[in-house]
Amino acid sequence: MWAINLVWVATAHCLLLASSSAHPTYRGRYKASVFSDLTPPEMTSVRSFLMDQESFHLGSTEQTLKQNTIFMMELNMPKKQQVLSFLDRNGPKPLREAKVVIYFADQPHPNVTEYIVGPLPHPYYYRPNVYRGNKTIKFESRPVTTTEYYFIHLKMLEVMKEMNHILLETSGFSYYNCTKRCLSFTDIAPRGLKSGDRRSWLMINKYVEGYFLHPIGIEILLNHRSLDPKEWAVEKIWYNGQYFDSVEELVRKYASNQLSKLRLPVHMDSDPYSTFIPRGEYKTKSNVHGPKVCEPQGKRYRVMGNYVEYAGWSFAFRSSTSAGMQLYDIQYNNERIAYEVSIQEAIAFYSGVTPSAMQTKSIDSGWGMGTVDYELAKGIDCPEVATYQDVHHFYDTNKPVRYKNAVCIFELPTGVPLRRHFDSNYKGGYTFYGGLENHVLVLRTSSTVYNYDYIWDFIFYQNGVMEVKVHPTGYIQATFLTPNGAVYGSKVNNNVLGNLHTHLIHYKVDLDIAGTENSFETVGLKAENISNPWSPGDFIFQHRLEHRLKFTERHAAFRFGSPLPKYLIFMNPNKMNKWGHPKSYRIQYNSNGDQILPRRWKEEKGVSWSRYSLAVTRHSNAEPTSSSIYAQNDPWDPFVYFENFIRNNEDIVNKDLVAWVTVGFLHIPHAEDIPNTTTPGNAVGFLLRPFNFFDEDPSVASKSPVIVRPADGSFSKVNIQRWTPEVVGHCVSDEPFSYNGTYF
């Protein structure tokens, strides 16, 4: 019966799409739904179905660590070939399925298992999610849950009670039984030194606004590998540059003055250095509103669910719970440029003297990078007139969580023309002026991963250029300043060191340039010294183009440390533009990233993609992502090992290709990073630029140019050609600023 119904649905689907009355925008929205995130009812349905499976013995995510629990669920992306059949050939719509992560802790050998559950919205089957090589997920690699943090807090209460007098004398703050001046902790990862460890350094901070900038010089190494918190133990304590093997040793040596004691200055609540509270004065007034983005004649883009149209562009998007924003089926004038452009991973590797600084190698998908997309403030994070959307995640919870206004979409004037020309007559006048103002569409979201806020932008220009960019901001992760700490950063306040660190961001760019049969080449310059044909005996030095087709994956993997060719061309050798060139796009970098660890150095294996500024591979359903939520807590034996993507060295000529792009920068914190790292100069990313993909600049379709020509030789009158109204309207919002910030 099920098979018969499925055939009927597929047949009806084909008939529907074949209808000549189907509106292209609504058809696009229907097609984009194949990429849409799980809805709250779907999440609830999946959870109910799994809770009913008696063999799983599932419980809630609270109260105990020895419990089988659903940790996470998100959309299971169908295979690309199935999706393309649906998008391009009116094939059946792939079944909607969920990918679910379950912690099996209530059994002799705890493990983490992923299941595929479907079909949605009414699931009745599940199957294990099998990865390449049948690799299993080590239980110790799992992300930390709220319940585990609760038990860490209880353990810290126990530990801090023994050393409460030391904390009070050192900082004036306490952890145990505190009411006003309280301490908190920052946990550091990876959690140990080898696979199977679960030992976390906990840095103690004053719990005040901007507590990331208030370390007190005490760090504690806690072993919390056991599922019984009573077995957890403190293994080391770092106090004012000195190591101790236990709380008892620290307390004893403190009492007998056998250590170098620390007394911090009295904390002044009136000092706002780690807050957003204004201080100081400008030369010009700033207590009035600055310029705002306005839409005097309404929106020039369309958003329908997860489907967007703007100028010649159309695309679908989703907010992956495990990694963040992902764009699909990116087309210009109904011709596909990319199947997928998505965030894969963000890392920040630190250096320093304290154990927390030395150990911090943040791999942010392990901290729920895709789930911390909190509310965007209207008029600050995005223009007030933007289109805002909520997202829902199921991550370390018992029910879907709503993140209000987590995505915004808006059109933005760039302030510089897209193109212009003043045609001088070289006699004090001109023959014409022509200009086209530049507007772009921006899709934006953010990820607040503990101290750092990543602002993720996907920008669409009217000339067929797409820009992918991230602005890191938020607080630096500071540590306690020791006498030998200055070589690892900058002093940014009393006893506070801003530690040097490197940010790297990894993207998947599945280009389908006018189809899936693509090739990759680099284009550079080759110098030549030739005889001057019109002046015998003289020579001309110039450059000529040198094309280098890449035949295999190894030849298309560019390591950091080696120069990256200036032109990185992805072309469809089977489709030409009007002038006989293969339709092509190029990747252009905006990055000064570099390799962060020596090859095969311990944790480096967990981020082996960071070896390459660019790696081009042949598309494989077995290689959907370059990282995983398990990499943070077990980088030594990673669940996903990116180097395997290249190791088989497949042919990449006239094949379905994927570009793996790494961008980043070195951050040496400085005084101006207080209170926050600012966005100017810190943005990194890349552009996808047409390179003979079109027959001419596609922005000629815009009706926004202005052309001015003198009416006569006196230039006293001009003829103005424009295709938009001369007078624009109201540009200020009538609604007061509001913000909620909750995510329930």
Side-chain angles (χ1 to χ4, degrees), residues 217-432:
I218 298 177
E219 301 179 3
I220 297 172
L221 177 60
L222 179 67
N223 189 329
H224 53 109
R225 185 174 186 270
S226 172
L227 291 173
D228 183 356
K230 294 178 182 178
E231 298 178 0
W232 293 358
V234 171
E235 295 186 342
K236 288 284 182 183
I237 296 178
W238 183 88
Y239 169 80
N240 192 26
Q242 304 150 90
Y243 286 92
F244 304 90
D245 292 329
S246 66
V247 178
E248 183 275 332
E249 182 189 5
L250 170 63
V251 172
R252 175 169 44 82
K253 290 186 175 180
Y254 188 91
S256 59
N257 293 316
Q258 292 180 274
L259 50 72
S260 175
K261 292 186 177 181
L262 172 65
R263 296 286 190 277
L264 295 178
V266 176
H267 183 84
M268 304 297 293
D269 293 328
S270 59
D271 182 1
Y273 90 90
S274 61
T275 76
F276 278 77
I277 297 172
R279 52 263 194 194
E281 296 293 334
Y282 282 149
K283 290 183 178 181
T284 58
K285 59 185 179 181
S286 60
N287 59 347
V288 296
H289 285 290
K292 300 286 186 180
V293 175
C294 68
E295 299 168 335
Q297 294 183 285
K299 300 189 184 306
R300 305 198 305 174
Y301 61 90
R302 280 190 289 265
V303 180
M304 299 181 70
N306 70 321
Y307 177 68
V308 181
E309 291 182 339
Y310 173 69
W313 292 102
S314 65
F315 60 89
F317 69 91
R318 65 179 288 249
S319 182
S320 163
T321 297
S322 56
M325 186 55 64
Q326 301 179 343
L327 275 61
Y328 290 93
D329 195 22
I330 301 167
Q331 300 189 20
Y332 198 102
N333 290 342
N334 301 318
E335 198 165 18
R336 186 170 297 114
I337 295 165
Y339 176 77
E340 176 185 355
V341 176
S342 60
I343 303 164
Q344 295 292 296
E345 189 60 271
I347 63 175
F349 282 29
Y350 285 70
S351 299
V353 172
T354 78
S356 288
M358 289 186 277
Q359 185 68 4
T360 298
K361 296 175 179 62
S362 296
I363 306 174
D364 289 338
S365 63
W367 297 88
M369 181 172 69
T371 71
V372 287
D373 42 4
Y374 303 116
E375 181 175 0
L376 298 167
K378 295 182 178 180
I380 302 171
D381 295 324
C382 310
E384 295 168 327
V385 297
T387 299
Y388 292 84
Q389 285 196 358
D390 302 343
V391 301
H392 295 83
H393 295 297
F394 195 106
Y395 184 93
D396 191 19
T397 181
N398 289 314
K399 58 184 179 180
V401 178
R402 174 196 178 206
Y403 293 75
K404 182 181 178 183
N405 295 342
V407 177
C408 70
I409 302 168
F410 56 93
E411 190 177 11
L412 183 73
T414 65
V416 63
L418 183 62
R419 43 188 169 83
R420 57 96 70 186
H421 180 65
F422 178 87
D423 202 59
S424 173
N425 67 359
Y426 303 102
K427 299 177 183 178
Y430 64 99
T431 57
F432 78 92

Side-chain angles (χ1 to χ4, degrees), residues 413-483:
T414 65
V416 63
L418 183 62
R419 43 188 169 83
R420 57 96 70 186
H421 180 65
F422 178 87
D423 202 59
S424 173
N425 67 359
Y426 303 102
K427 299 177 183 178
Y430 64 99
T431 57
F432 78 92
Y433 164 83
L436 174 62
E437 58 182 327
N438 190 16
H439 293 89
V440 297
L441 185 79
V442 181
L443 177 123
R444 173 174 294 167
T445 188
S446 68
S447 299
T448 302
V449 186
Y450 190 62
N451 57 305
Y452 260 109
D453 295 62
Y454 295 101
I455 301 172
W456 307 98
D457 282 354
F458 298 82
I459 306 169
F460 297 86
Y461 295 79
Q462 296 183 45
N463 65 334
V465 171
M466 176 185 177
E467 184 175 8
V468 180
K469 183 162 58 174
V470 58
H471 294 86
T473 178
Y475 287 93
I476 60 172
Q477 180 175 304
T479 61
F480 189 77
L481 178 61
T482 62

Side-chain angles (χ1 to χ4, degrees), residues 529-540:
N529 188 355
I530 61 174
S531 299
N532 190 328
W534 46 268
S535 181
D538 288 324
F539 296 88
I540 292 175

